[in-house]
Amino acid sequence: MTASRDAEASLPGVVGSGAAMAEVSRLVRRVAPTQATVLVVGETGTGKELVARSVHQLSQRSDGPYVRVNCGALNESLLESELFGHVKGAFTGAIENKTGRFEAAHGGTIFLDEISSMSAKLQVKLLRVLQENEFERVGESRTIRVDARVVAASNQLLEDEVEAGRFRDDLYYRLNVVPIYLPPLRERREDIITLAKFFVEKHAQANRLPAPAWTRAMEEALLRHDWPGNVRELENYMARVVVLCHDGGADPSQVPPPGRGERRFKPAAGARGRGDIASLSRQLVRLGIESLPEGTLHERLVGGLERELIDQVLADCDQVQTKAAQRLGINRNTLHKKVNEPGRPED
C-alpha cells in the first residue's frame, strides 16, 4: 500500500490531484529513476519546467546539476555558444573561453525548453550529443565527452513540426523516448480551486499580507474562466487577488478580470452606443486612416490593426521573433517580413 501511495503522490512543487495530474505523476515517477530521455509537451504555462525538475529530483542524478536553457530566447549563434561553449577568438566578442550548458550539466540533467524553435544546424549538433555523448565547442576541434540527461519541452506538437519539415525526424525519435503530456488547465478543472488556494497562501506570505477570506463568488468566477494562459495565468490572477482583497473577502468584482485585460473594455450586449463610435473614431485617427479613398478602408484598417498586434506580441516576447511567431501562429520568416515590410512605421 505504501509503494502504491508513493507512486501516486504529487510531484515535488506540483499542485493537483485530479486524474490528469495523477497520470503525469505516475509517468514521472516511473521514468525518473532511469536514464531515458523525456519529452514534455503542453501549452505555455502548464508547468513543463516543474515536471522537468521533478524528473531530475526523483532521479539518481539528483545530487548533480540541473541546467535550464530556453532555446526560443536566443538566435542560432548565441544558442550554439550557450549550449556548447566557445573558445577565445571564436567570433567577435568571444574575449575568453566559455563553458557551455551541456558541460555544466555533466553528471546531472539539462532541460531544453522550447526545443521546437531550434534551428536545423543546432538540431544536428544536438542529435550527435544524444547519440554519441560528445560535441566540440564553437571555434575548437577538440571533442568533449559529456554525461547529461536530456529533458526537452515543447508547446508545439513535434509530430506536426516534423511533417512540416521544420524538425528532424531522427532527432524527434531520440527525444520522444518517454513523452509526457501536460494537459491545459481547462482540461483539469478539478484542480483550479486547489491551485488557486495554494497561490493565495503563497503570495500572501510573499507580500506579508493576510490571505483574503475565500468566497463562493470567487470560486464561481474561477470556474467560469477557461484560463488560456493556464497555471501561470491563474497564479498571476491570484497574486492580484491577494494585493487588492487582503483586507477582506476575495471579491472578483474588486479585481480586474483574468486574461489580457480586453474584457474590461468590452461593453455588455446591447450597450453599444455613441461612446463606441467615438472610440473607433479615435482608433482610426491614431492609425492614420480616418480619411481614405473609397474602397481602401478595410485593407488599411486590417493592416493597421495587424501592425499593432505584432508590436504588442513582440513587446511581450522581449522582441524575440521566434517566440513571437509561435504565439501568433505564423512562420518566423513571415513575421520577419511583416516587421521589415516597406512603409512600416519605426518605433
Side-chain angles (χ1 to χ4, degrees), residues 26-36 38 54-61 149:
R26 185 188 69 81
L27 277 173
V28 170
R29 290 183 177 279
R30 292 200 67 176
V31 70
T34 73
Q35 300 301 315
V38 176
S54 294
V55 171
H56 174 70
Q57 291 169 4
L58 297 172
S59 75
Q60 299 173 8
R61 298 170 174 265
R149 183 184 194 173

Side-chain angles (χ1 to χ4, degrees), residues 262-330:
E262 66 272 15
R263 287 174 179 80
R264 76 189 73 173
F265 301 114
K266 290 183 179 179
R272 297 186 181 274
R274 295 180 61 86
D276 298 297
I277 299 300
S279 175
L280 177 58
S281 297
R282 286 193 296 272
Q283 292 188 52
L284 293 175
V285 170
R286 178 166 48 82
L287 292 171
I289 56 178
E290 73 280 9
S291 179
L292 292 170
E294 184 176 352
T296 63
L297 178 58
H298 177 268
E299 178 183 355
R300 292 290 298 276
L301 177 59
V302 171
L305 293 176
E306 180 185 53
R307 288 195 299 272
E308 287 213 340
L309 173 62
I310 288 174
D311 290 342
Q312 181 61 55
V313 173
L314 280 169
D316 291 343
C317 296
D318 299 322
Q319 304 302 317
V320 179
Q321 290 190 13
T322 299
K323 188 174 182 180
Q326 289 179 343
R327 183 171 295 181
L328 288 164
I330 62 177

Side-chain angles (χ1 to χ4, degrees), residues 64-67 83 99-110 135 146 148:
Y66 172 82
V67 178
L83 288 173
T99 299
R101 297 296 184 93
F102 267 101
E103 284 182 81
H106 183 76
T109 303
I110 184 168
F135 62 91
V146 67

Side-chain angles (χ1 to χ4, degrees), residues 200 204 207-215 239-251 254-255:
V200 162
N207 289 283
R208 298 182 180 180
L209 294 171
W214 197 254
T215 65
R240 190 184 307 166
V241 170
V242 168
V243 171
L244 299 180
C245 301
H246 64 87
D247 54 353
D251 184 355
Q254 301 301 313
V255 185

